[in-house]
Amino acid sequence: MDNPVADQPNTYPPEEDLLLRSYDQLQTALSIGLIATWFWDINTDKVYGDANLFHLFGVPENPEDKGLPLKVFTNNIHDDDRARVSHLIEEAMRNHHGYEAEYRILVDDHTIKWVLARGRLTYNADDQPRSFSGVLVDVTDRKNAEIHSQEVEERLRLAIESAKLGTWDLNLLTGKLIWSDRTKRLFGLPPTADVDYAVFLAGIHPEDRDRTDQTVQACFEPGSSGRYDIEYRTIGLEDGKLRWIRANGQTVFDAQGSAIRFIGTVIDITSSKRTEEILQRRVAEQTQDLERQTHQLRTILDASLNSIIAMTAIRDETETIVDFVMDTANEAVIKSNFMTPDQIVGRTLLTVFPGNKDNGFFDLYVRVVQTGRPEESVQYYRDEFGLEGWFEVSAVKQGEDSVIVTYNNITDRKKVEMAAQQHAAELKEANAELKRSNENLQQFAQIASHDLQEPLRRIQAFSDMLQSQFADSLSEGETDLIRRIQKSARRMQMLIKDLLMYSQLTTQREPFAPVSLTDVLTDVLSDLEMTVAEKKATINAVPLPTVLGAPPRLRQLFQNLIANALKFTQTGQLPVLTIRFRLAMADELPALLHDQRQLPFWLISVADNGIGFEEKYKDRIFTPFQRLHDQTTFSGTGIGLAICQRVVESHGGAIDAISQPGKGATFNVFLPVYGELV
């Protein structure tokens, strides 16, 4: 037998070949995705990355200029892979070589993604690693395909065994022939028998020997398909038993077209009808399975939110790429281009989308085909057919001359970004205006603290002199006028003091530090000791938590709340104050904190048994100079609760009130939790 060598890919029946090509194309299209990038500053243990990195690791969005600790990402690595990844990172640091690792990421506690990470390190002058940067690629589809391929191979092995197939493998370069035990059995040989091509021919029925040999030799001819499919009879070389054999094989050719290998299977078809039915059923099942997988892949492709088009380059006589023919498109192109896939497939890119030439997308696709490197771009697109907008494009090479393009129409997002930029400019101007307003308020506070109080002190001094030095010569009406002047002066002094306090809360910021609210409450109650005694009030308080804040301001908060409760008491009833705290529920947070429901807050309540008020007026009580009661009955400037609100909000919290007339009032203070909850 001659030993010509050739190399030609396996062929399949037309319908299977078509399905396999479609499967391969769709699988390649599905594997396209953006590459995530990362940068680890080893000294600060901060990892910086793009949106794809956060998405892959299931980490909430984070501004690109704010890094996260490395453990935020490594904690999401699958438990079975984490130690190996850490070892590879340490080895790369120690040996000064590149880093490459393929591992799993656990997202949302149930979704597993496979990623391929590649990176390199930089070192400082002391040869210590300084930074670690690289890229991360989602290879989940490829890994799933590998697993599927292994499963298919295992099913094939089981199919061969269950179908009672024998196998052979002929090395045409050495002449060595390998038969499986079942193949030897079909030729009437024991498992220990030595075989070669001459033994093969000797075992074939004389009437079928020449035909079979000619069919085999034809498979080795250069340019042939190398496909081998034949039925023949064997006469057992040792048992003399007649058997009908169905043989299928394939010749493998090298790059020069010479046959180098001949492999295949044999099966006993003595009970041919039964065996043919089994084979037909298996072929039908495999075909249906492949069709189902192809349909599923197509469904997934069409369900993608990204528009995907597969294109093949068109070259002129100088091998220059002049256009692309669009081979495949998914349903998402309707959303981006307002065109159906049928209006795109089979047509050239510049015919359907001529704007690609002007905005640079066409040159990007050409570079991807020529260099093999994926590229991304965001550009404005416009053409004479009316298609216009901003598009985000990612392209990756497929095969020798094709490119897969993934893109989205991001016009709406761009409009939002531009609106955000406009808003940012307006906000900057508003901040500048607020700064000017604060400066004016600070100037006013300085005037209030000095220029307004100086004449007020003179009024108080002169009225005191009138009352003390001329008391005997003053009439009762004149004495009453002096008392009114003194009372108004004292009220004016209180008003200026409270107004100054209120303005300082806006214009002055003190550094925050951990503050024990228990200590703050103790100091406040000590200052109000005489008032509490005069009112015969009962204070029920529990130890309060520690928060992050400014002690003087928090002291002012509790002093105003307790003094307010002691002031608005009911006639004939001793005041009772109850001060408690607990962790606030998310649905209890005021509207001001609704966007922070994911954060923990303390709810500190100050409840009294005083006169109360109508809740529909509760917004007024936190407004400066707004009062619900007559000043002659309850003294004050009407700014105390406004100061409380300003203090709480400056600490990142909020204040609310619950009350009914005659049933007391409860003021609920919400402050951020400091430290970890135990």
Side-chain angles (χ1 to χ4, degrees), residues 594-610:
H594 280 181
D595 60 343
Q596 302 182 55
R597 289 180 177 176
Q598 74 279 8
L599 301 177
F601 284 85
W602 293 122
L603 191 164
I604 303 165
S605 61
V606 179
D608 62 54
N609 62 341

Side-chain angles (χ1 to χ4, degrees), residues 434-446 499-510 553 646 650:
L434 180 60
K435 182 179 180 181
R436 290 192 293 270
S437 176
N438 286 339
E439 290 173 351
N440 293 336
L441 186 59
Q442 180 65 31
Q443 293 175 0
F444 172 76
Q446 292 175 353
L499 187 60
L500 181 60
M501 170 68 71
Y502 187 76
S503 68
Q504 287 175 342
L505 290 174
T506 301
T507 59
Q508 298 179 9
R509 291 297 302 269
E510 300 179 24
R553 294 191 178 186
R646 186 60 60 87
S650 70

Side-chain angles (χ1 to χ4, degrees), residues 378-411:
V378 175
Q379 297 292 339
Y380 186 76
Y381 177 93
R382 183 178 184 180
D383 61 33
E384 63 265 28
F385 299 130
L387 182 59
E388 183 175 0
W390 284 91
F391 286 82
E392 180 181 60
V393 168
S394 173
V396 63
K397 185 176 182 180
Q398 179 195 21
E400 290 297 324
D401 232 17
S402 297
V403 62
I404 303 295
V405 178
T406 303
Y407 64 96
N408 283 309
N409 188 330
I410 60 169
T411 304

Side-chain angles (χ1 to χ4, degrees), residues 67-87:
L68 294 173
L70 179 63
K71 68 177 182 180
V72 171
F73 299 91
T74 57
N75 287 345
N76 285 0
I77 298 178
H78 196 284
D79 291 343
D80 294 342
D81 297 339
R82 191 177 299 125
R84 176 174 57 83
V85 173
S86 298
H87 174 72

Side-chain angles (χ1 to χ4, degrees), residues 48-73:
Y48 304 85
D50 55 18
N52 291 330
L53 182 70
F54 300 120
H55 175 70
L56 280 175
F57 278 87
V59 176
E61 288 287 345
N62 190 60
E64 293 184 2
D65 60 344
K66 293 185 178 179
L68 294 173
L70 179 63
K71 68 177 182 180
V72 171
F73 299 91

Side-chain angles (χ1 to χ4, degrees), residues 603-623:
L603 191 164
I604 303 165
S605 61
V606 179
D608 62 54
N609 62 341
I611 61 175
F613 59 88
E614 290 283 356
E615 274 197 34
K616 63 181 179 180
Y617 300 122
K618 71 177 182 178
D619 290 338
R620 289 179 55 187
I621 66 176
F622 295 111
T623 302

